[in-house]
Amino acid sequence: AQTVTQSQPEMSVQEAETVTLSCTYDTSESDYYLFWYKQPPSRQMILVIRQEAYKQQNATENRFSVNFQKAAKSFSLKISDSQLGDAAMYFCAYAGGTSYGKLTFGQGTILTVHP
Amino acid sequence: GAGVSQSPSNKVTEKGKDVELRCDPISGHTALYWYRQSLGQGLEFLIYFQGNSAPDKSGLPSDRFSAERTGGSVSTLTIQRTQQEDSAVYLCASSLQPSGNTIYFGEGSWLTVV
């Protein structure tokens, strides 16, 4: 079975600074997808960024980028120029190539942004 | 609709009662998913519908849980004889198709069993 581990229950960052959230996963599949989702107090899960395992290039979405280390099964999220609106719970998630919609989530990391 | 719509937003029910939670996916999305988010278990996959195919029910925790999707659109998650451990946020999500597309989540239905 696949597992996703987020070892940082809480992280904090000063506004305009950079923060990195960690995620590791375990799988025997060769084809899969990795995601970072943001969950603000409204409860709605919002996709931040996704990475296809077959792509070697790290995904980037504006201030958000990932460091995907396939051999190490590591998938960290870097948030640059942090903003107050980035404060939320962040979940790392995995989906196998044959079950794209069946996401396995990590435990989540609460990110606090200080003004 | 513009997004995934779920109702009710909040539900308090007595132990032993049945509850129904509704999900209206984004128009045109063929894939629909239910997840549960609870303090003790985190986020768990429950069930997945894709078009007219038989649903993947592998995540349903017990036979008290069932779900259906009528007409390939609206879905209802039913919990029979609710227990206190069923208290959680039930999240619905949809996507255009299961592979390679972004999954969009609703805001969830917060169920409290007293």
Side-chain angles (χ1 to χ4, degrees):
Chain A
Q2 294 79 25
T3 58
V4 178
T5 302
Q6 294 177 248
S7 59
Q8 306 155 317
E10 298 183 31
M11 290 286 284
S12 62
V13 64
Q14 290 293 132
E15 197 174 5
E17 297 290 307
T18 295
V19 64
T20 298
L21 308 184
S22 301
C23 173
T24 58
Y25 60 96
D26 190 23
T27 184
S28 58
E29 296 178 305
S30 58
D31 184 21
Y32 53 88
Y33 302 84
L34 295 163
F35 309 86
W36 278 98
Y37 278 90
K38 168 185 177 181
Q39 187 179 40
S42 68
R43 298 196 309 238
Q44 186 170 23
M45 301 282 282
I46 301 165
L47 179 66
V48 174
I49 199 165
R50 78 176 194 187
Q51 174 84 41
E52 290 89 343
Y54 65 86
K55 289 186 177 178
Q56 294 188 348
Q57 187 173 5
N58 288 327
T60 299
E61 289 288 341
N62 301 314
R63 298 183 294 108
F64 299 87
S65 61
V66 298
N67 184 4
F68 174 45
Q69 301 289 326
K70 191 172 184 179
K73 294 180 180 170
S74 171
F75 183 62
S76 61
L77 174 70
K78 185 171 82 170
I79 306 173
S80 304
D81 185 24
S82 297
Q83 300 176 0
L84 295 177
D86 295 334
M89 175 81 92
Y90 285 81
F91 289 95
C92 179
Y94 168 101
T98 58
S99 55
Y100 184 85
K102 290 174 64 174
L103 296 168
T104 299
F105 287 89
Q107 304 91 322
T109 297
I110 299 172
L111 177 66
T112 302
V113 181
H114 298 290
Chain B
V4 178
S5 177
Q6 292 188 245
S7 62
S9 180
N10 293 282
K11 174 75 175 178
V12 180
T13 190
E14 292 181 352
K15 179 181 172 181
K17 299 277 191 179
D18 297 353
V19 297
E20 286 188 350
L21 307 176
R22 175 189 167 101
C23 173
D24 198 346
I26 294 173
S27 178
H29 281 195
T30 61
L32 186 147
Y33 320 85
W34 283 98
Y35 287 83
R36 179 170 71 173
Q37 185 174 20
S38 57
L39 280 175
Q41 301 296 323
L43 269 156
E44 309 168 87
F45 164 80
L46 295 178
I47 188 169
Y48 153 52
F49 295 90
Q50 168 53 33
N52 296 320
S53 303
D56 179 346
K57 305 179 182 180
S58 60
L60 293 178
S62 77
D63 58 7
R64 296 186 296 104
F65 288 73
S66 63
E68 60 179 25
R69 188 179 185 191
T70 54
S73 182
V74 172
S75 176
T76 302
L77 177 69
T78 301
I79 309 172
Q80 295 178 308
R81 306 180 303 282
T82 52
Q83 303 294 313
Q84 288 186 327
E85 61 263 29
D86 300 334
S87 296
V89 177
Y90 290 84
L91 293 165
C92 179
S94 70
S95 65
L96 265 176
Q97 53 188 350
S99 181
N101 287 104
T102 298
I103 298 170
Y104 296 90
F105 283 82
E107 293 189 354
S109 292
W110 194 324
L111 175 66
T112 303
V113 182
V114 297

PDB file of all heavy atoms in Angstrom, chain B residues 61-88:
ATOM      1  N   PRO B  61     -15.868   2.309   4.965  1.00  0.00           N
ATOM      2  CA  PRO B  61     -15.417   1.681   6.213  1.00  0.00           C
ATOM      3  C   PRO B  61     -16.303   0.559   6.717  1.00  0.00           C
ATOM      4  O   PRO B  61     -15.825  -0.287   7.482  1.00  0.00           O
ATOM      5  CB  PRO B  61     -15.372   2.849   7.201  1.00  0.00           C
ATOM      6  CG  PRO B  61     -16.332   3.856   6.643  1.00  0.00           C
ATOM      7  CD  PRO B  61     -16.301   3.705   5.167  1.00  0.00           C
ATOM      8  N   SER B  62     -17.566   0.548   6.372  1.00  0.00           N
ATOM      9  CA  SER B  62     -18.466  -0.515   6.835  1.00  0.00           C
ATOM     10  C   SER B  62     -19.677  -0.563   5.923  1.00  0.00           C
ATOM     11  O   SER B  62     -19.873   0.320   5.081  1.00  0.00           O
ATOM     12  CB  SER B  62     -18.897  -0.255   8.288  1.00  0.00           C
ATOM     13  OG  SER B  62     -19.889   0.749   8.342  1.00  0.00           O
ATOM     14  N   ASP B  63     -20.500  -1.585   6.119  1.00  0.00           N
ATOM     15  CA  ASP B  63     -21.696  -1.716   5.274  1.00  0.00           C
ATOM     16  C   ASP B  63     -22.785  -0.722   5.665  1.00  0.00           C
ATOM     17  O   ASP B  63     -23.846  -0.687   5.050  1.00  0.00           O
ATOM     18  CB  ASP B  63     -22.229  -3.150   5.307  1.00  0.00           C
ATOM     19  CG  ASP B  63     -22.585  -3.621   6.701  1.00  0.00           C
ATOM     20  OD1 ASP B  63     -22.551  -2.784   7.639  1.00  0.00           O
ATOM     21  OD2 ASP B  63     -22.884  -4.809   6.867  1.00  0.00           O
ATOM     22  N   ARG B  64     -22.536   0.082   6.682  1.00  0.00           N
ATOM     23  CA  ARG B  64     -23.491   1.156   7.004  1.00  0.00           C
ATOM     24  C   ARG B  64     -23.360   2.317   6.011  1.00  0.00           C
ATOM     25  O   ARG B  64     -24.230   3.170   5.956  1.00  0.00           O
ATOM     26  CB  ARG B  64     -23.257   1.670   8.427  1.00  0.00           C
ATOM     27  CG  ARG B  64     -23.516   0.646   9.523  1.00  0.00           C
ATOM     28  CD  ARG B  64     -23.409   1.265  10.908  1.00  0.00           C
ATOM     29  NE  ARG B  64     -22.068   1.753  11.204  1.00  0.00           N
ATOM     30  CZ  ARG B  64     -21.726   3.049  11.196  1.00  0.00           C
ATOM     31  NH1 ARG B  64     -22.631   3.983  10.907  1.00  0.00           N
ATOM     32  NH2 ARG B  64     -20.495   3.413  11.505  1.00  0.00           N
ATOM     33  N   PHE B  65     -22.269   2.321   5.281  1.00  0.00           N
ATOM     34  CA  PHE B  65     -21.998   3.389   4.313  1.00  0.00           C
ATOM     35  C   PHE B  65     -22.360   2.907   2.906  1.00  0.00           C
ATOM     36  O   PHE B  65     -21.976   1.811   2.502  1.00  0.00           O
ATOM     37  CB  PHE B  65     -20.522   3.781   4.332  1.00  0.00           C
ATOM     38  CG  PHE B  65     -20.098   4.550   5.553  1.00  0.00           C
ATOM     39  CD1 PHE B  65     -19.971   3.908   6.774  1.00  0.00           C
ATOM     40  CD2 PHE B  65     -19.810   5.904   5.470  1.00  0.00           C
ATOM     41  CE1 PHE B  65     -19.575   4.614   7.907  1.00  0.00           C
ATOM     42  CE2 PHE B  65     -19.400   6.614   6.592  1.00  0.00           C
ATOM     43  CZ  PHE B  65     -19.291   5.964   7.818  1.00  0.00           C
ATOM     44  N   SER B  66     -23.064   3.756   2.174  1.00  0.00           N
ATOM     45  CA  SER B  66     -23.352   3.459   0.782  1.00  0.00           C
ATOM     46  C   SER B  66     -23.434   4.767   0.025  1.00  0.00           C
ATOM     47  O   SER B  66     -23.600   5.841   0.611  1.00  0.00           O
ATOM     48  CB  SER B  66     -24.664   2.679   0.644  1.00  0.00           C
ATOM     49  OG  SER B  66     -25.747   3.461   1.111  1.00  0.00           O
ATOM     50  N   ALA B  67     -23.290   4.676  -1.275  1.00  0.00           N
ATOM     51  CA  ALA B  67     -23.382   5.871  -2.104  1.00  0.00           C
ATOM     52  C   ALA B  67     -23.946   5.494  -3.450  1.00  0.00           C
ATOM     53  O   ALA B  67     -23.757   4.371  -3.918  1.00  0.00           O
ATOM     54  CB  ALA B  67     -22.020   6.538  -2.263  1.00  0.00           C
ATOM     55  N   GLU B  68     -24.639   6.436  -4.043  1.00  0.00           N
ATOM     56  CA  GLU B  68     -25.121   6.237  -5.399  1.00  0.00           C
ATOM     57  C   GLU B  68     -24.964   7.530  -6.174  1.00  0.00           C
ATOM     58  O   GLU B  68     -24.851   8.619  -5.602  1.00  0.00           O
ATOM     59  CB  GLU B  68     -26.573   5.763  -5.405  1.00  0.00           C
ATOM     60  CG  GLU B  68     -27.565   6.701  -4.760  1.00  0.00           C
ATOM     61  CD  GLU B  68     -28.975   6.151  -4.830  1.00  0.00           C
ATOM     62  OE1 GLU B  68     -29.147   4.926  -4.928  1.00  0.00           O
ATOM     63  OE2 GLU B  68     -29.909   6.965  -4.789  1.00  0.00           O
ATOM     64  N   ARG B  69     -24.963   7.350  -7.472  1.00  0.00           N
ATOM     65  CA  ARG B  69     -24.850   8.502  -8.358  1.00  0.00           C
ATOM     66  C   ARG B  69     -25.899   8.339  -9.435  1.00  0.00           C
ATOM     67  O   ARG B  69     -25.840   7.422 -10.243  1.00  0.00           O
ATOM     68  CB  ARG B  69     -23.456   8.582  -8.973  1.00  0.00           C
ATOM     69  CG  ARG B  69     -23.233   9.865  -9.741  1.00  0.00           C
ATOM     70  CD  ARG B  69     -21.839   9.943 -10.313  1.00  0.00           C
ATOM     71  NE  ARG B  69     -21.622  11.239 -10.933  1.00  0.00           N
ATOM     72  CZ  ARG B  69     -20.581  11.543 -11.695  1.00  0.00           C
ATOM     73  NH1 ARG B  69     -19.651  10.632 -11.936  1.00  0.00           N
ATOM     74  NH2 ARG B  69     -20.458  12.743 -12.219  1.00  0.00           N
ATOM     75  N   THR B  70     -26.840   9.238  -9.444  1.00  0.00           N
ATOM     76  CA  THR B  70     -27.963   9.135 -10.367  1.00  0.00           C
ATOM     77  C   THR B  70     -27.703   9.949 -11.626  1.00  0.00           C
ATOM     78  O   THR B  70     -27.271  11.107 -11.551  1.00  0.00           O
ATOM     79  CB  THR B  70     -29.249   9.627  -9.686  1.00  0.00           C
ATOM     80  OG1 THR B  70     -29.032  10.941  -9.163  1.00  0.00           O
ATOM     81  CG2 THR B  70     -29.629   8.702  -8.539  1.00  0.00           C
ATOM     82  N   GLY B  71     -27.965   9.317 -12.769  1.00  0.00           N
ATOM     83  CA  GLY B  71     -27.845  10.028 -14.030  1.00  0.00           C
ATOM     84  C   GLY B  71     -26.452  10.537 -14.325  1.00  0.00           C
ATOM     85  O   GLY B  71     -26.281  11.455 -15.129  1.00  0.00           O
ATOM     86  N   GLY B  72     -25.474   9.939 -13.690  1.00  0.00           N
ATOM     87  CA  GLY B  72     -24.104  10.356 -13.944  1.00  0.00           C
ATOM     88  C   GLY B  72     -23.767  11.734 -13.416  1.00  0.00           C
ATOM     89  O   GLY B  72     -22.749  12.327 -13.793  1.00  0.00           O
ATOM     90  N   SER B  73     -24.622  12.265 -12.530  1.00  0.00           N
ATOM     91  CA  SER B  73     -24.369  13.613 -12.020  1.00  0.00           C
ATOM     92  C   SER B  73     -24.367  13.623 -10.499  1.00  0.00           C
ATOM     93  O   SER B  73     -23.373  13.269  -9.884  1.00  0.00           O
ATOM     94  CB  SER B  73     -25.402  14.589 -12.581  1.00  0.00           C
ATOM     95  OG  SER B  73     -25.141  15.899 -12.122  1.00  0.00           O
ATOM     96  N   VAL B  74     -25.498  13.976  -9.900  1.00  0.00           N
ATOM     97  CA  VAL B  74     -25.582  14.133  -8.448  1.00  0.00           C
ATOM     98  C   VAL B  74     -25.325  12.804  -7.742  1.00  0.00           C
ATOM     99  O   VAL B  74     -25.749  11.740  -8.196  1.00  0.00           O
ATOM    100  CB  VAL B  74     -26.973  14.677  -8.056  1.00  0.00           C
ATOM    101  CG1 VAL B  74     -27.164  14.664  -6.561  1.00  0.00           C
ATOM    102  CG2 VAL B  74     -27.153  16.084  -8.614  1.00  0.00           C
ATOM    103  N   SER B  75     -24.616  12.909  -6.607  1.00  0.00           N
ATOM    104  CA  SER B  75     -24.340  11.728  -5.798  1.00  0.00           C
ATOM    105  C   SER B  75     -24.843  11.939  -4.380  1.00  0.00           C
ATOM    106  O   SER B  75     -24.829  13.064  -3.861  1.00  0.00           O
ATOM    107  CB  SER B  75     -22.843  11.442  -5.776  1.00  0.00           C
ATOM    108  OG  SER B  75     -22.538  10.356  -4.917  1.00  0.00           O
ATOM    109  N   THR B  76     -25.284  10.846  -3.771  1.00  0.00           N
ATOM    110  CA  THR B  76     -25.718  10.870  -2.377  1.00  0.00           C
ATOM    111  C   THR B  76     -24.925   9.837  -1.589  1.00  0.00           C
ATOM    112  O   THR B  76     -24.851   8.667  -1.996  1.00  0.00           O
ATOM    113  CB  THR B  76     -27.219  10.549  -2.255  1.00  0.00           C
ATOM    114  OG1 THR B  76     -27.961  11.493  -3.022  1.00  0.00           O
ATOM    115  CG2 THR B  76     -27.667  10.621  -0.806  1.00  0.00           C
ATOM    116  N   LEU B  77     -24.336  10.262  -0.502  1.00  0.00           N
ATOM    117  CA  LEU B  77     -23.655   9.352   0.430  1.00  0.00           C
ATOM    118  C   LEU B  77     -24.591   9.147   1.608  1.00  0.00           C
ATOM    119  O   LEU B  77     -25.035  10.116   2.232  1.00  0.00           O
ATOM    120  CB  LEU B  77     -22.326   9.959   0.892  1.00  0.00           C
ATOM    121  CG  LEU B  77     -21.535   9.159   1.933  1.00  0.00           C
ATOM    122  CD1 LEU B  77     -20.988   7.871   1.317  1.00  0.00           C
ATOM    123  CD2 LEU B  77     -20.380   9.990   2.500  1.00  0.00           C
ATOM    124  N   THR B  78     -24.915   7.897   1.878  1.00  0.00           N
ATOM    125  CA  THR B  78     -25.831   7.572   2.967  1.00  0.00           C
ATOM    126  C   THR B  78     -25.094   6.821   4.066  1.00  0.00           C
ATOM    127  O   THR B  78     -24.349   5.877   3.783  1.00  0.00           O
ATOM    128  CB  THR B  78     -26.998   6.704   2.452  1.00  0.00           C
ATOM    129  OG1 THR B  78     -27.692   7.419   1.417  1.00  0.00           O
ATOM    130  CG2 THR B  78     -27.972   6.388   3.580  1.00  0.00           C
ATOM    131  N   ILE B  79     -25.303   7.266   5.279  1.00  0.00           N
ATOM    132  CA  ILE B  79     -24.742   6.571   6.449  1.00  0.00           C
ATOM    133  C   ILE B  79     -25.924   6.119   7.298  1.00  0.00           C
ATOM    134  O   ILE B  79     -26.720   6.934   7.771  1.00  0.00           O
ATOM    135  CB  ILE B  79     -23.817   7.484   7.275  1.00  0.00           C
ATOM    136  CG1 ILE B  79     -22.768   8.148   6.384  1.00  0.00           C
ATOM    137  CG2 ILE B  79     -23.139   6.662   8.381  1.00  0.00           C
ATOM    138  CD1 ILE B  79     -21.931   9.205   7.091  1.00  0.00           C
ATOM    139  N   GLN B  80     -26.026   4.814   7.462  1.00  0.00           N
ATOM    140  CA  GLN B  80     -27.125   4.258   8.254  1.00  0.00           C
ATOM    141  C   GLN B  80     -26.675   4.035   9.695  1.00  0.00           C
ATOM    142  O   GLN B  80     -25.513   3.747   9.962  1.00  0.00           O
ATOM    143  CB  GLN B  80     -27.579   2.930   7.645  1.00  0.00           C
ATOM    144  CG  GLN B  80     -28.181   3.071   6.248  1.00  0.00           C
ATOM    145  CD  GLN B  80     -28.567   1.728   5.648  1.00  0.00           C
ATOM    146  OE1 GLN B  80     -27.755   0.808   5.612  1.00  0.00           O
ATOM    147  NE2 GLN B  80     -29.799   1.621   5.188  1.00  0.00           N
ATOM    148  N   ARG B  81     -27.646   4.167  10.598  1.00  0.00           N
ATOM    149  CA  ARG B  81     -27.382   3.885  12.023  1.00  0.00           C
ATOM    150  C   ARG B  81     -26.082   4.553  12.451  1.00  0.00           C
ATOM    151  O   ARG B  81     -25.133   3.904  12.910  1.00  0.00           O
ATOM    152  CB  ARG B  81     -27.320   2.376  12.254  1.00  0.00           C
ATOM    153  CG  ARG B  81     -28.556   1.628  11.762  1.00  0.00           C
ATOM    154  CD  ARG B  81     -28.452   0.130  12.004  1.00  0.00           C
ATOM    155  NE  ARG B  81     -27.292  -0.491  11.394  1.00  0.00           N
ATOM    156  CZ  ARG B  81     -27.178  -0.801  10.114  1.00  0.00           C
ATOM    157  NH1 ARG B  81     -28.183  -0.544   9.286  1.00  0.00           N
ATOM    158  NH2 ARG B  81     -26.085  -1.378   9.643  1.00  0.00           N
ATOM    159  N   THR B  82     -26.045   5.856  12.350  1.00  0.00           N
ATOM    160  CA  THR B  82     -24.810   6.598  12.598  1.00  0.00           C
ATOM    161  C   THR B  82     -24.244   6.316  13.985  1.00  0.00           C
ATOM    162  O   THR B  82     -24.986   6.119  14.967  1.00  0.00           O
ATOM    163  CB  THR B  82     -25.025   8.110  12.436  1.00  0.00           C
ATOM    164  OG1 THR B  82     -26.146   8.502  13.229  1.00  0.00           O
ATOM    165  CG2 THR B  82     -25.248   8.487  10.992  1.00  0.00           C
ATOM    166  N   GLN B  83     -22.924   6.329  14.042  1.00  0.00           N
ATOM    167  CA  GLN B  83     -22.170   6.161  15.271  1.00  0.00           C
ATOM    168  C   GLN B  83     -21.336   7.416  15.518  1.00  0.00           C
ATOM    169  O   GLN B  83     -21.081   8.178  14.580  1.00  0.00           O
ATOM    170  CB  GLN B  83     -21.247   4.950  15.161  1.00  0.00           C
ATOM    171  CG  GLN B  83     -21.959   3.658  14.832  1.00  0.00           C
ATOM    172  CD  GLN B  83     -22.878   3.211  15.944  1.00  0.00           C
ATOM    173  OE1 GLN B  83     -22.501   3.204  17.113  1.00  0.00           O
ATOM    174  NE2 GLN B  83     -24.111   2.838  15.595  1.00  0.00           N
ATOM    175  N   GLN B  84     -20.901   7.608  16.747  1.00  0.00           N
ATOM    176  CA  GLN B  84     -20.122   8.807  17.062  1.00  0.00           C
ATOM    177  C   GLN B  84     -18.832   8.866  16.257  1.00  0.00           C
ATOM    178  O   GLN B  84     -18.379   9.958  15.889  1.00  0.00           O
ATOM    179  CB  GLN B  84     -19.839   8.878  18.556  1.00  0.00           C
ATOM    180  CG  GLN B  84     -21.072   9.225  19.372  1.00  0.00           C
ATOM    181  CD  GLN B  84     -20.773   9.440  20.838  1.00  0.00           C
ATOM    182  OE1 GLN B  84     -19.885   8.809  21.389  1.00  0.00           O
ATOM    183  NE2 GLN B  84     -21.529  10.319  21.462  1.00  0.00           N
ATOM    184  N   GLU B  85     -18.250   7.719  15.948  1.00  0.00           N
ATOM    185  CA  GLU B  85     -17.005   7.727  15.172  1.00  0.00           C
ATOM    186  C   GLU B  85     -17.222   8.137  13.712  1.00  0.00           C
ATOM    187  O   GLU B  85     -16.255   8.327  12.970  1.00  0.00           O
ATOM    188  CB  GLU B  85     -16.310   6.363  15.218  1.00  0.00           C
ATOM    189  CG  GLU B  85     -17.112   5.222  14.648  1.00  0.00           C
ATOM    190  CD  GLU B  85     -17.840   4.427  15.710  1.00  0.00           C
ATOM    191  OE1 GLU B  85     -18.179   5.009  16.758  1.00  0.00           O
ATOM    192  OE2 GLU B  85     -18.065   3.228  15.476  1.00  0.00           O
ATOM    193  N   ASP B  86     -18.488   8.281  13.293  1.00  0.00           N
ATOM    194  CA  ASP B  86     -18.771   8.758  11.942  1.00  0.00           C
ATOM    195  C   ASP B  86     -18.643  10.280  11.852  1.00  0.00           C
ATOM    196  O   ASP B  86     -18.678  10.852  10.752  1.00  0.00           O
ATOM    197  CB  ASP B  86     -20.183   8.372  11.499  1.00  0.00           C
ATOM    198  CG  ASP B  86     -20.397   6.872  11.480  1.00  0.00           C
ATOM    199  OD1 ASP B  86     -19.405   6.122  11.315  1.00  0.00           O
ATOM    200  OD2 ASP B  86     -21.554   6.438  11.634  1.00  0.00           O
ATOM    201  N   SER B  87     -18.523  10.947  12.991  1.00  0.00           N
ATOM    202  CA  SER B  87     -18.376  12.406  12.998  1.00  0.00           C
ATOM    203  C   SER B  87     -17.114  12.802  12.225  1.00  0.00           C
ATOM    204  O   SER B  87     -16.015  12.349  12.552  1.00  0.00           O
ATOM    205  CB  SER B  87     -18.295  12.936  14.433  1.00  0.00           C
ATOM    206  OG  SER B  87     -19.492  12.686  15.118  1.00  0.00           O
ATOM    207  N   ALA B  88     -17.297  13.630  11.220  1.00  0.00           N
ATOM    208  CA  ALA B  88     -16.181  13.993  10.343  1.00  0.00           C
ATOM    209  C   ALA B  88     -16.692  14.998   9.316  1.00  0.00           C
ATOM    210  O   ALA B  88     -17.886  15.293   9.236  1.00  0.00           O
ATOM    211  CB  ALA B  88     -15.624  12.765   9.621  1.00  0.00           C
TER     212      ALA B  88
END
